[in-house]
Amino acid sequence: MQTSQSPVVTGPLLGSGSPSNPVPCNRVVDALARKTRFVRRTARKLPASDLLRATLCAVAEGTPELRSTAINCGIQCADTLSKQSLWERLRKPHAVDFFKACTEQAFGNLLKSHFKIASLPGISRVLVGDSSAIKLHPSLSEVFPGGSNQNKQSAQLRLQCTLDLLSGQWVDGGFEPYLRQDAKAAHDLAQSGVLEEGDLVVRDLGYAVIDA
């Protein structure tokens, strides 16, 4: 899933502004929501910053589901939000662009606060790719089969993501079946059309493919 370059808005970090927490602050998140056109006017009930925080809370709790996210949204905005209302919000145009822009911003903040990468002769981008398993509700196991044991079949998805280590830009990413291993996804980036001259691609051994 190729994406256009998302805007990066400079600003302090969430909370105390500690470099240990790269998540953008409310002002930056709301600015990104407007830049990506996810929000066209000031939200009265659920600001974009509250939506992002509620989503992160649900993921951190291990329940990245509409119900859990809606509950966390209610906590953030001190009001009740149904999962149906949340779904309508997430179906809006540019919602994916908004979350990608926030990812870029957080990744860029992390790079600036923790790493100093020297320029590399002949290298314009350092593309770091990896996958992450996402746990889903067990009722979805037939549609999204995941790991299994003798007792049950779990429901999981795999998120493939490639970021530029030098700029923090989201380069490529998308969801795919959990059972499709990284080794089979090794050539996806080359076939996606996002690679440019001067790119250095870095991945772990899970993507290694050796032709016999």
Side-chain angles (χ1 to χ4, degrees), residues 54 58 61 65-83 86:
E61 293 167 356
E65 306 158 2
L66 279 176
R67 181 177 180 274
S68 177
T69 306
I71 292 174
N72 278 291
C73 284
I75 294 173
Q76 296 298 326
C77 63
D79 200 350
T80 301
L81 182 72
S82 68
K83 62 181 183 180
L86 175 61

Side-chain angles (χ1 to χ4, degrees), residues 10-204:
T10 58
L13 307 181
L14 183 65
S16 63
S18 169
S20 63
N21 188 346
V23 180
C25 69
N26 293 355
R27 177 180 60 81
V28 174
V29 171
D30 291 335
L32 288 172
R34 292 190 295 271
K35 286 284 188 178
T36 56
R37 295 186 291 175
F38 176 57
V39 171
R40 296 178 181 270
R41 57 186 178 184
T42 303
R44 297 180 179 179
K45 186 172 184 179
L46 181 65
S49 53
D50 285 350
L51 173 60
L52 176 63
R53 188 179 291 106
T55 302
L56 292 176
C57 287
V59 172
E61 293 167 356
T63 55
E65 306 158 2
L66 279 176
R67 181 177 180 274
S68 177
T69 306
I71 292 174
N72 278 291
C73 284
I75 294 173
Q76 296 298 326
C77 63
D79 200 350
T80 301
L81 182 72
S82 68
K83 62 181 183 180
Q84 291 81 5
S85 297
L86 175 61
W87 175 238
E88 290 300 320
R89 182 75 180 271
L90 295 176
R91 292 181 62 190
K92 292 179 61 176
H94 308 295
V96 174
D97 294 334
F98 164 67
F99 282 102
K100 286 180 179 178
C102 291
T103 301
E104 286 187 4
Q105 182 72 39
F107 192 63
N109 288 345
L110 183 64
L111 290 175
K112 292 177 182 178
S113 60
H114 289 273
F115 302 100
K116 291 184 179 180
I117 303 176
S119 60
L120 304 173
I123 303 298
S124 56
R125 298 191 300 178
V126 178
L127 307 185
V128 180
D130 203 353
S131 71
S132 180
I134 300 175
K135 183 180 179 181
L136 304 175
H137 193 274
S139 63
L140 298 173
S141 60
E142 292 186 4
V143 182
F144 302 108
S148 61
N149 54 35
Q150 296 178 348
N151 299 321
K152 63 179 181 179
Q153 171 84 48
S154 66
Q156 291 175 289
L157 270 178
R158 189 178 296 277
L159 171 63
Q160 293 283 354
C161 181
T162 302
L163 297 170
D164 178 12
L165 191 60
L166 299 182
S167 68
Q169 181 186 351
W170 178 296
V171 176
D172 192 63
F175 292 104
E176 59 182 28
Y178 171 80
L179 298 179
R180 185 172 188 258
Q181 298 301 315
D182 290 342
K184 294 184 178 180
H187 300 295
D188 289 353
L189 190 63
Q191 298 171 355
S192 66
V194 303
L195 291 181
E196 304 171 356
E197 184 177 353
D199 285 347
L200 172 64
V201 180
V202 181
R203 285 178 162 174
D204 62 31

